[in-house]
């Protein structure tokens, strides 16, 4: 009896959630592994990453859910990379760290300006070169946590 009730509960839960996800416009770039992402206001941003076809990339895209449109923006300011970190503070986005095409960890950092659509460089990350870190912001401050400082693959 318990197995039947659990099965009915799972089935009813699936039916209740069947309309939870709504298909949106697909990402128009290549499928990249290990990109960075952040949001500014109501828009989402994604950039860089690794593609086995063209190695590390610098592409940067904006998604506007109000119009359901992806727009390619200015390429990331640094070298193409994989496993970078990103976060936003106010109306600016920040991205950096990661690994270059030779799998060397890097510590440079860049700021995305939505008005000028460009990537001015910022001070290098004082915590040293690393990849696969976590980034987030609280109030007017951005934070970097964890990540791997070595060049191990």
């Amino acid at each position: 009896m318990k197995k039947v009730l659990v099965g009915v509960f799972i089935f009813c839960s699936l039916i209740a959630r069947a309309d939870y996800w709504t298909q949106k416009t697909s990402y128009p770039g290549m499928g990249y592994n290990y990109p960075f992402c952040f949001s500014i206001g109501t828009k989402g941003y994604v950039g860089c990453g690794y593609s086995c076809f063209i190695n590390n990339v610098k592409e940067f895209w904006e998604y506007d859910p109000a119009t359901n449109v992806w727009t390619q923006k200015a390429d990331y300011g640094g070298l193409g990379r994989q496993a970078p970190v990103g976060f936003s503070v106010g109306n600016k986005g920040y991205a950096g760290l990661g690994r270059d095409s030779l799998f060397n960890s890097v510590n440079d950092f860049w700021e995305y300006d939505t008005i000028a659509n460009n990537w001015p460089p910022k001070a290098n990350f004082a915590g040293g070169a690393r990849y696969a870190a976590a980034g987030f912001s609280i109030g007017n401050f951005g934070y970097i946590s964890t990540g791997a400082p070595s060049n191990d693959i």
Side-chain angles (χ1 to χ4, degrees):
M1 181 66 172
K2 288 182 183 180
K3 289 181 183 178
V4 171
L5 290 176
V6 169
V8 169
F9 176 76
I10 291 172
F11 179 74
C12 290
S13 296
L14 292 173
I15 290 173
R17 296 231 176 230
D19 64 346
Y20 183 76
W21 291 96
T22 303
Q23 178 69 38
K24 298 292 183 181
T25 301
S26 295
Y27 175 72
M30 260 187 171
Y32 304 123
N33 294 315
Y34 316 115
F36 69 82
C37 57
F38 53 77
S39 64
I40 298 174
T42 61
K43 297 178 181 175
Y45 297 85
V46 62
C48 289
Y50 173 81
S51 166
C52 61
F53 301 109
I54 55 175
N55 209 338
N56 292 348
V57 297
K58 296 175 54 157
E59 280 187 6
F60 183 61
W61 293 82
E62 172 189 83
Y63 177 71
D64 184 345
T67 60
N68 193 27
V69 171
W70 285 96
T71 304
Q72 190 165 12
K73 297 302 206 174
D75 280 354
Y76 176 71
L79 296 173
R81 63 196 62 212
Q82 63 178 287
V85 64
F87 59 87
S88 63
V89 175
N91 63 351
K92 306 277 183 164
Y94 298 89
L97 306 178
R99 294 196 304 188
D100 66 18
S101 60
L102 299 175
F103 299 102
N104 295 311
S105 298
V106 296
N107 70 335
D108 61 333
F109 235 84
W110 300 76
E111 174 185 81
Y112 179 65
D113 184 329
T114 57
I115 305 300
N117 187 34
N118 65 9
W119 286 94
K122 302 305 284 181
N124 287 349
F125 178 63
R130 63 187 59 238
Y131 67 97
F136 60 94
S137 63
I138 300 174
N140 293 325
F141 297 94
Y143 298 88
I144 303 291
S145 176
T146 67
S150 71
N151 291 328
D152 296 335
I153 295 177

